Amino acid sequence: MSILKGVGVALVTPFNEDLSVDFDSLTKLIEYNINNGTNYLVVLGTTAEAATLSDDEKKQVIEHIIKVNSKRLPLVLGIGGNNTLEVKKQIEEADLSAFEAVLSVSPYYNKPNQEGLYQHYKVLASTGKNIIIYNVPSRTGQNIDADTTIRLAKEFPNLLMIKEAAPNILQYFDILRKKPEGFSLVSGDDEYTLPVTLAGGNGVISVIGQGYPKEFSTMVQLAFEGKIKEAYEIHNKLVEITRLIFAEGNPCGIKVVLAEKGIIKNYLRLPLVAASEGLTAKIKAEMANI
């Protein structure tokens, strides 16, 4: 889907000191990204700490983002889980009128084999909704092999994209070589964004991008234009901060960046905690270098 090209950002959920959702800061975050070149917004992804939001809070966050965005950028909604039929039900019952697609993470904890992963997404495809496969083995405990992705892409046109976050970049390249026309791949790993885009990817669904939307979106656009040297200059400028924000897990690092920029307050919900003092100091120092 060409509309989902470039830099999508997996928005954090800002919290107040009492850990209620900070809607004012969420507004600032959305405006900051819209005004600085982000191409689309991903709502209630893993980075949003969606696992710790109540159903009512999720509904409020969705409604707030739709309202503030006001159709300026395309939207993607995260709906995933390890109960296939429940995920299917949630997709079928969700009001997706404001969204271009659903981002659905592969089943976690259960560790299905490749046939189980195929059957899971086959069921989700039966909803008829546009769905982005999300492969992130570091979180789910199981990798979707490239052959399984290609099998799904060839059989179900509404499985229109994969957010690929396997630790082996060769898997990205295998999918890009073998994928059918009309199926897209975006990087799910910020540091792989540039090489994957240059190899034919559609960009990234990013975490660091919401902290540095102008720089990151410029880098990806330069990659699309084949301006490799200029793109790598930006990549090299951001690579250290990209590594630092994930050093103690996500989204504690990006929340330090956004708090330092005055966009949100630095609070997370348990079981996640704020970045350590040492990591916070390193992030602030690298931000000063940038």
Side-chain angles (χ1 to χ4, degrees), residues 4-12 29-34 36-48 65 73-77 103 163 186-187 190 203-214 216-217 254 258:
L4 299 178
K5 185 175 182 178
V7 175
V9 297
L11 294 168
V12 303
L29 179 62
I30 295 164
E31 294 293 348
Y32 178 66
N33 276 269
I34 290 174
N36 285 281
T38 292
N39 299 108
Y40 59 99
L41 305 174
V42 178
V43 181
L44 296 183
T46 307
T47 303
I65 293 173
L73 294 184
L75 300 177
V76 171
L77 179 62
L103 176 66
K163 177 186 177 184
V186 295
S187 179
D190 284 346
V204 64
I205 292 178
S206 176
V207 176
I208 192 62
Q210 67 197 295
Y212 292 93
K214 186 174 183 179
F216 224 66
S217 59
I254 188 61
L258 294 171

Side-chain angles (χ1 to χ4, degrees), residues 6-8 164 169 172-173 176 185-209 215-221 223-224 231-232 235 238-239 242 246:
V7 175
E164 181 59 76
I169 198 169
Y172 299 61
F173 297 154
L176 288 169
L185 179 147
V186 295
S187 179
D189 185 315
D190 284 346
E191 192 169 345
Y192 288 174
T193 299
L194 183 51
V196 168
T197 303
L198 290 170
N202 263 28
V204 64
I205 292 178
S206 176
V207 176
I208 192 62
E215 293 88 342
F216 224 66
S217 59
T218 299
M219 179 188 76
V220 170
Q221 186 57 43
F224 289 146
Y232 265 108
H235 168 89
L238 295 178
V239 70
T242 299
F246 295 108

Side-chain angles (χ1 to χ4, degrees), residues 42 63 71 94 98 105 124 157 174-175 207 214 262 270-271:
V42 178
E63 291 175 348
K71 299 182 179 180
V105 69
L124 301 193
D174 285 344
I175 295 170
V207 176
K214 186 174 183 179
L270 290 171

Side-chain angles (χ1 to χ4, degrees), residues 46 79-81 103-108 120-121 132-136 140:
T46 307
I79 303 177
L103 176 66
S104 195
V105 69
S106 67
Y108 43 81
H120 173 81
Y121 281 106
I132 302 169
I133 302 165
Y134 181 17
N135 183 39
V136 57
T140 64

